[in-house]
Amino acid sequence: RMAGSSTPWIGSAYLFLQSTCKTIMLPSLYESSQKKPSVFRALKLALADSTGSMNGVDMLKVHCSHPHLIVQLKFCKLENCRRFLQSYREGALQRSLQNHLQLSLAMTTVPLEMELKAGSEHLDNMLKDEDHCLECIYREKPDRLRDEEITELEECLKSLTVHQSINNNVAVKDCAPLKSLSLPYPSQGSSHPPAVSFIFQGQQFDNRTITPDDHQKFAKLVSKKWKQVGRSLQKSCRALRDPVIDNLALEYDREGLYEQAYQMLLRFIQSEGKKATIARLIAALEENGLISLAEELLGLHSNEDCS
């Protein structure tokens, strides 16, 4: 149980944000290198308002999944999470974020819709049962460290003295749009089993282990991008550190790209065992823009070019 445990209270949730005004697209604003610091600033301040502290909740990543902006949240204290839920339930978080976006973006109004999820649970349906919401968030351990981009934006925010960061030409990498969001999977060493399902392009799929058929399709279709996919997988797989990927490229150079890709994924499967799930592979493909290959593995067969 949560309360009786001596281990730190850590949980994770996803906050889905969408503007109800057709002319305001939050993902597009966040993808703009000029507007991104302003949107981030509004998110940071609204979350601080909800918990009463700038460090009450941590943003791990912001996903651009049109029409939603999806913020992956990490809570390190039960009390902070409880405050956040109260603020969310009472509409205070929504009002605060609308106000901060209005100020940061110099707009007249930014009407918002919000949705809160923890794993497959839609918390909006159970907000009156706070303890159940807390349990759902506690069950979902964060599957990643904080994204490098978030760290950069935090630094930008600290260094900004001007109220409107739009006028400061802050150099921040553009956020590549993700067509969908794969739900979290446990990192190596986690005692939690892999999530039983995940969402891709609005559809739910069983989170099965990678099959030999998946393995062959991946090796056949991934082409030169196998290294990039390997580097995405290495974030949660120690067996795929950079020297390993470079060595595979050299070792199987004569056999060509198919064999290099095959051997890379084989290392992943062998080291991760039952945790070598299709959700993890799909997430790595999405991160590198290989949407049609992801669709191929999930049987969605798209005509899009994979490269």
Side-chain angles (χ1 to χ4, degrees), residues 136-271:
C136 292
I137 291 171
Y138 178 72
R139 273 203 305 267
E140 288 298 316
K141 298 304 178 207
D143 65 304
R144 63 165 73 241
L145 298 173
R146 187 197 287 181
D147 198 72
E148 284 178 9
E149 181 179 69
I150 298 290
T151 306
E152 288 175 20
L153 286 161
E154 294 265 21
E155 291 305 314
C156 282
L157 190 57
K158 284 177 192 170
S159 65
L160 286 178
T161 51
V162 184
H163 181 67
Q164 284 299 339
S165 55
I166 301 167
N167 302 323
N168 295 11
N169 292 320
V170 183
V172 181
K173 288 181 296 188
D174 275 341
C175 167
L178 290 177
K179 287 190 182 179
S180 62
L181 168 74
S182 293
L183 288 178
Y185 50 82
S187 57
Q188 192 180 43
S190 167
S191 60
H192 290 257
V196 292
S197 64
F198 66 102
I199 305 294
F200 176 79
Q201 295 186 342
Q203 293 184 52
Q204 194 159 2
F205 294 91
D206 289 334
N207 189 16
R208 52 183 173 76
T209 50
I210 295 168
T211 65
D213 188 45
D214 296 329
H215 197 163
Q216 288 174 359
K217 277 184 184 173
F218 170 82
K220 184 179 171 186
L221 298 171
V222 72
S223 191
K224 292 177 183 176
K225 286 198 173 180
W226 71 267
K227 275 188 174 183
Q228 288 164 251
V229 176
R231 292 197 173 101
S232 293
L233 289 170
Q234 79 178 194
K235 293 171 191 173
S236 62
C237 175
R238 291 176 188 163
L240 287 178
R241 291 292 175 246
D242 277 338
V244 175
I245 291 173
D246 293 336
N247 287 344
L248 287 172
L250 289 171
E251 197 176 336
Y252 296 95
D253 184 42
R254 287 186 180 180
E255 285 87 344
L257 292 171
Y258 175 92
E259 194 58 32
Q260 290 170 335
Y262 188 90
Q263 292 296 329
M264 183 278 290
L265 195 57
L266 183 62
R267 294 288 173 99
F268 176 69
I269 293 166
Q270 287 174 337
S271 73

Side-chain angles (χ1 to χ4, degrees), residues 15 43-53 57 73 75 78-98 100 114 116 124 127 130 133-134 137:
L15 182 63
L43 286 168
K44 183 81 178 167
L45 293 173
L47 288 169
D49 288 350
S50 75
T51 59
S53 162
V57 54
L73 302 172
F75 300 91
L78 174 61
E79 201 47 49
N80 287 338
C81 190
R82 196 184 292 280
R83 282 198 199 107
F84 169 85
L85 280 171
Q86 287 168 351
S87 174
Y88 181 85
R89 186 178 64 236
E90 292 161 8
L93 175 64
Q94 185 176 8
R95 290 190 296 274
S96 172
L97 184 53
Q98 284 174 336
H100 286 302
M114 287 186 171
L116 191 63
D124 298 72
L127 287 172
E130 189 171 279
C133 288
L134 289 165
I137 291 171

